[in-house]
């Protein structure tokens, strides 16, 4: 998932200023036993890198993860890795991708994480092929809760994707799943360490500290929104009607 952002002051146009991109990259487990974790991550993405071993070819986890991404309507970028291996056969793997997933061989990137060969093409492909996040910055806030963990000093830290609207430090938010209310004590991005920004914009992924005392309160897939607004929960949110 990535958020396109031009680092210019509001209303200022500078043709000489290069466009910068803020990328949020999620590394998911490849094994089929972690399909739930992968599906939750894909729900916050617009595209996925499908990494295939150039020697081993398409494996069971390749098939499982492809269909998770396909069913989520994500842009899929095939990456054939380990092309430096003596037994590597990229052409055979390209043929597999075509026959099994109807992926055009010309779309496949050939790389070696060991030698660095071809890696310079990966991020440009992400920027060029994967669309920016949808959403409306002027709509009421809706955030998708991706993950959470407990920090000894900050309490529960939630990873969120802002689908609509803007989140600021000090905002009062509600959970659609539990009905609990919270105040945003800290907000920022992962860079990769927690970097406070005081604000998250539409399309951005970041972290929120809101005073939750247990990760049980942070339900993955929940919709978080401003306490004074009425919004339609995001797909997949289980609402507590009690």
């Amino acid at each position: 998932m990535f958020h396109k952002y031009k680092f210019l002051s509001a209303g200022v146009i500078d043709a000489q200023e290069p466009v910068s991109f803020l990328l949020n990259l999620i590394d998911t487990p490849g094994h089929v036993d972690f399909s739930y974790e992968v599906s939750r991550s894909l729900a916050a993405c617009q595209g996925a890198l499908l990494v295939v071993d150039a020697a081993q070819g398409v494996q069971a986890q390749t098939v499982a993860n492809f269909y998770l991404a396909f069913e989520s309507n994500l842009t899929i970028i095939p990456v054939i890795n380990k092309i430096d291996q003596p037994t590597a056969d990229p052409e055979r793997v390209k043929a597999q991708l075509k026959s099994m997933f109807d992926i055009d061989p010309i779309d496949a990137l050939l790389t070696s994480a060991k030698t660095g060969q071809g890696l310079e093409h990966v991020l440009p492909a992400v920027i060029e092929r994967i669309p920016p996040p949808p959403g409306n910055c002027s709509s009421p806030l809706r955030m998708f809760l991706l993950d959470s963990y407990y920090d000894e000093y900050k309490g529960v830290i939630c990873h969120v994707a802002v689908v609509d609207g803007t989140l600021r430090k000090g905002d009062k938010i509600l959970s659609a799943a539990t009905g609990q209310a919270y105040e945003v004590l800290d907000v920022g991005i992962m860079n990769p360490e927690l970097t406070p920004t005081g604000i998250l914009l539409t399309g951005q992924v970041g972290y929120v500290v809101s005073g939750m005392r247990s990760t049980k309160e942070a339900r993955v897939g929940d919709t978080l929104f401003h306490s004074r607004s009425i919004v339609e929960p995001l797909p997949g949110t289980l609402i507590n009607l009690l």
Side-chain angles (χ1 to χ4, degrees):
M1 178 175 189
F2 68 93
H3 173 73
K4 180 179 178 182
Y5 182 76
K6 193 168 185 178
F7 293 94
L8 294 173
S9 300
V12 177
I13 299 176
D14 186 353
Q16 304 301 318
E17 187 75 19
V19 176
S20 298
F21 297 87
L22 179 63
L23 308 181
N24 188 77
L25 309 175
I26 303 176
D27 183 19
T28 61
H31 199 277
V32 292
D33 289 346
F34 295 95
S35 60
Y36 175 76
E37 287 80 358
V38 174
S39 67
R40 290 294 83 196
S41 297
L42 293 182
C45 297
Q46 285 71 53
L49 297 175
L50 187 69
V51 182
V52 186
D53 191 303
Q56 297 181 0
V58 174
Q59 303 291 297
Q61 62 264 29
T62 312
V63 177
N65 290 335
F66 170 83
Y67 282 108
L68 283 175
F70 182 78
E71 290 167 2
S72 299
N73 296 316
L74 302 188
T75 298
I76 298 172
I77 301 176
V79 179
I80 301 176
N81 192 34
K82 299 185 180 179
I83 59 173
D84 60 297
Q85 296 294 316
T87 56
D89 189 352
E91 295 306 315
R92 177 179 65 87
V93 177
K94 286 183 181 180
Q96 284 184 323
L97 293 174
K98 175 63 178 176
S99 63
M100 299 180 70
F101 309 130
D102 197 28
I103 292 177
D104 193 328
I106 199 172
D107 291 335
L109 303 178
L110 303 181
T111 67
S112 168
K114 181 178 180 180
T115 66
Q117 182 180 352
L119 295 183
E120 69 276 10
H121 301 301
V122 176
L123 288 183
V126 169
I127 293 171
E128 292 166 8
R129 301 187 197 180
I130 298 178
N136 190 335
C137 60
S138 60
S139 294
L141 174 71
R142 291 195 303 170
M143 294 187 297
F144 179 82
L145 201 161
L146 302 172
D147 197 7
S148 69
Y149 64 94
Y150 186 82
D151 179 85
E152 183 178 353
Y153 301 101
K154 292 179 177 288
V156 176
I157 297 177
C158 297
H159 291 178
V160 299
V162 180
V163 177
D164 293 309
T166 302
L167 178 72
R168 292 180 173 84
K169 183 177 179 179
D171 284 355
K172 304 292 194 303
I173 59 175
L174 283 173
S175 161
T178 67
Q180 291 284 345
Y182 305 96
E183 179 179 351
V184 177
L185 306 175
D186 187 20
V187 59
I189 61 174
M190 288 81 76
N191 195 30
E193 68 282 352
L194 301 185
T195 305
T197 60
I199 188 172
L200 285 178
L201 306 173
T202 299
Q204 286 189 305
V205 170
Y207 73 90
V208 175
V209 178
S210 60
M212 290 184 182
R213 289 173 286 185
S214 168
T215 54
K216 292 180 179 179
E217 296 179 56
R219 300 188 183 181
V220 173
D222 191 7
T223 299
L224 302 175
F225 59 98
H226 282 143
S227 59
R228 295 183 179 179
S229 64
I230 299 175
V231 301
E232 181 72 22
L234 296 166
T237 300
L238 297 178
I239 303 174
N240 186 358
L241 299 177
L242 298 179

